Amino acid sequence: MEALKSENNYTIDDIYALRDGERAELIDGKIYYMAPPSTGHQRLLNYISTEINLFIRKNNGECEVFPAPFAVFLSENNRNYVEPDISVICDRDKITDQGCNGAPDWVIEIVSPGSRKMDYYKKLFKYRMAGVREYWVVDPDKKCVTVYSFDADNMEEYLFGEEIPAGIYEGFYINIGL
């Protein structure tokens, strides 16, 4: 008989062993299951990732944009695996066939009813500690975006409809006027 795992003793192997269609993230050995995203969530994800992609292409940028589902292995241990809604990665050496090894430069999470605590607290801490340069929490219910610039040790809040500066790209703003 197989021994039961403690709640905080899961690894990336357990994520890969999930049934087809089942999605989860792994933070410090604990599995967090994810509900399918809503249509509104997907509209925001598509809009924001398209705006970033267009800016990068227009400016011959080196970074790449990866919308979820896209695997991010935040640390070298096998106890942390996340799927940010949008990952912007500028160091192409981090990108493999499996996903991103290490911290993306810019991470954007779109809050869902079941992800609020995770996005505002757990992931905020994990992303900062892993070396993410900028983290956006897009909250459709509050119609605001909280921007954490870890490089500048700064946090700003913007309302939908305002020009939101992307800290990793000088002169780039996104207006979420949906």
Side-chain angles (χ1 to χ4, degrees), residues 62-77:
E62 294 292 319
C63 303
E64 284 191 73
V65 182
F66 294 93
F70 180 73
V72 173
F73 306 93
L74 284 176
S75 57
E76 291 184 15
N77 70 39

Side-chain angles (χ1 to χ4, degrees), residues 49-119:
S49 62
T50 298
E51 291 294 303
I52 298 167
N53 264 315
L54 289 172
F55 178 82
I56 291 171
R57 270 194 224 138
K58 180 180 170 190
N59 293 283
N60 298 313
E62 294 292 319
C63 303
E64 284 191 73
V65 182
F66 294 93
F70 180 73
V72 173
F73 306 93
L74 284 176
S75 57
E76 291 184 15
N77 70 39
N78 64 353
R79 296 171 35 98
N80 289 286
Y81 166 98
V82 291
E83 291 183 5
D85 287 313
I86 301 170
S87 300
V88 179
I89 303 158
C90 301
D91 179 354
R92 292 185 183 233
D93 290 339
K94 291 182 178 181
I95 301 168
T96 69
D97 285 342
Q98 288 75 41
C100 176
N101 289 322
D105 293 88
W106 183 11
V107 170
I108 299 170
E109 293 286 6
I110 300 167
V111 177
S112 299
S115 74
R116 185 168 297 285
K117 258 172 104 170
M118 179 74 84
D119 294 337

